Amino acid sequence: MRRRTVALAVGLWLSAPGCTSTTSSKAEAGEAAVRRFFQALPSGDCAVLGPMLVSGQGVPSCEETVKDLREHGMGLVDVLDAKVDGRDPDAVVVRARVSQGGTERAEPFLFRVERQGDGWRLRL
């Protein structure tokens, strides 16, 4: 009887909402979206970059976003971590080290990545 109770407790713990593989797969998708965007950014090609950005009313165009990032010399140094936003299960907050104008910022930068349509997109 004791073994069955322990097995049940372990099974419940593994299936707890905070421990699901869905949460980690969302975080991984958010991290991957940030990495892909910054790998493609030097091209400045909005045919490639546009689908990686959140779109909609009130959001700057891809061209505006790319121009601003390039003017500030923004680049990704490394992703530190990614976590599902506690307020929105379809959003991930990615904490990363970035450079501006060739100098690494002292403080990490937070990026928000949102599920939009069939993919994960960066909101800048």
Side-chain angles (χ1 to χ4, degrees), residues 41-53:
L41 182 60
S43 75
D45 184 359
C46 280
V48 173
L49 294 165
M52 295 183 204
L53 294 169

Side-chain angles (χ1 to χ4, degrees), residues 8-83:
L8 180 61
V10 169
L12 289 173
W13 179 78
L14 290 174
S15 66
C19 300
T20 64
S21 63
T22 302
T23 299
S24 68
S25 66
K26 288 178 181 180
E28 289 169 8
E31 179 179 331
V34 170
R35 289 185 189 280
R36 274 193 312 274
F37 179 82
F38 279 96
Q39 285 173 346
L41 182 60
S43 75
D45 184 359
C46 280
V48 173
L49 294 165
M52 295 183 204
L53 294 169
V54 167
S55 59
Q57 190 173 11
V59 178
S61 70
C62 176
E63 291 78 12
E64 292 173 274
T65 300
V66 169
K67 180 181 179 226
D68 189 45
L69 291 173
R70 294 174 105 192
E71 282 177 358
H72 290 95
M74 182 81 103
L76 181 67
V77 175
D78 194 19
V79 171
L80 300 172
D81 58 42
K83 295 180 181 175

